[in-house]
Amino acid sequence: MEEVDEVVEENAEFLEESDEDGGVTAQSVLQDIENAWLNEKFAPEILPHQSDAVECMLQQISHMEDNMKSLGKGSMKSLIHQMEINRIRFIISSYLRCRLEKIEQYAMHILTEEAQRGREDGYLSSDELRFAKDYLSSIELLFRTLALQHMPNVLQKFEIETMTVKPNIHAHVFLRANKRITGIIVPGTVDEEVDFEEGSQHIVQYSAVADLVKNGDIQLI
């Protein structure tokens, strides 16, 4: 047990090392990714990407793997370090996979919304944007191919706008308030406002708190 506690402490110390430029620790970045993962998992729409945080943690994983080289294979320390690395990898991969699934489901809607934002305000990373465009082009090509082969002429016109699927932003979500928030307007009521106390948990329509999720005032759970 002492050896296990020692390794856990080593992992914590490593993740708490500060970034040289801004004093940001790997532990705080990991927490940001975990929060982003839960928000992405439970929000009906795609949220602003956290590519910088993901890249930072991938670099930290590389450092952790380098540190493991000095440990004996099969040792308790090595196994616990590997478990922590696997946990971080799972969070990152699950976060990215969730975003790709939303892009596939709402590709046309996401690209339309993205085109209305500035470069600095985009929700998609450059790789995700390229994937979305390629995916939509593939769907269009598949439809045209099938239409030419199997559909009558009157049905061969491809109007992708009519096939657009939008996320249901009126779906209810379970949330926790990260700070005291006042004046939240509840949809479906006549300008009824409610207040959230810090740490309180609620179930409300996503549309009422979408901006608060994106700025970090609210955490989806």
Side-chain angles (χ1 to χ4, degrees), residues 73-192:
K73 290 186 178 180
S75 68
M76 179 62 72
K77 284 187 177 183
S78 178
L79 291 174
I80 295 177
H81 278 301
Q82 189 60 55
M83 288 174 61
E84 178 65 9
I85 290 174
N86 291 343
R87 184 181 77 88
I88 297 173
R89 285 190 183 279
F90 170 80
I91 293 171
I92 293 174
S93 62
S94 183
Y95 168 70
L96 296 176
R97 183 169 59 250
C98 182
R99 291 181 62 81
L100 290 180
E101 289 173 353
K102 287 183 179 180
I103 291 173
E104 291 179 346
Q105 187 173 4
Y106 308 120
M108 184 60 196
H109 171 75
I110 288 175
L111 285 174
T112 300
E113 294 290 310
E114 193 74 359
Q116 298 174 4
R117 303 185 183 103
R119 180 186 295 265
E120 298 298 325
D121 299 323
Y123 283 14
L124 303 182
S125 68
S126 56
D127 289 337
E128 289 172 338
L129 182 59
R130 183 165 54 252
F131 172 80
K133 291 179 178 179
D134 290 345
Y135 178 80
L136 194 61
S137 295
S138 297
I139 294 298
E140 182 177 357
L141 177 60
L142 176 62
F143 182 89
R144 293 187 185 282
T145 301
L146 293 176
L148 290 174
Q149 293 179 352
H150 305 290
M151 296 182 182
N153 293 336
V154 294
L155 298 178
Q156 289 186 9
K157 185 177 180 180
F158 182 76
E159 296 181 352
I160 195 167
E161 291 78 8
T162 63
M163 303 174 62
T164 300
V165 179
K166 298 181 179 180
N168 179 17
I169 62 172
H170 302 298
H172 284 74
V173 293
F174 191 30
L175 61 87
R176 180 182 64 248
N178 292 330
K179 57 182 289 187
R180 189 173 190 276
I181 306 170
T182 60
I184 297 176
I185 299 177
V186 179
T189 63
V190 183
D191 296 331
E192 179 183 348

Side-chain angles (χ1 to χ4, degrees), residues 193-205:
E193 296 185 358
V194 297
D195 299 337
F196 292 167
E197 297 299 328
E198 182 177 355
S200 61
Q201 299 181 1
H202 310 268
I203 297 179
V204 298
Q205 285 190 26

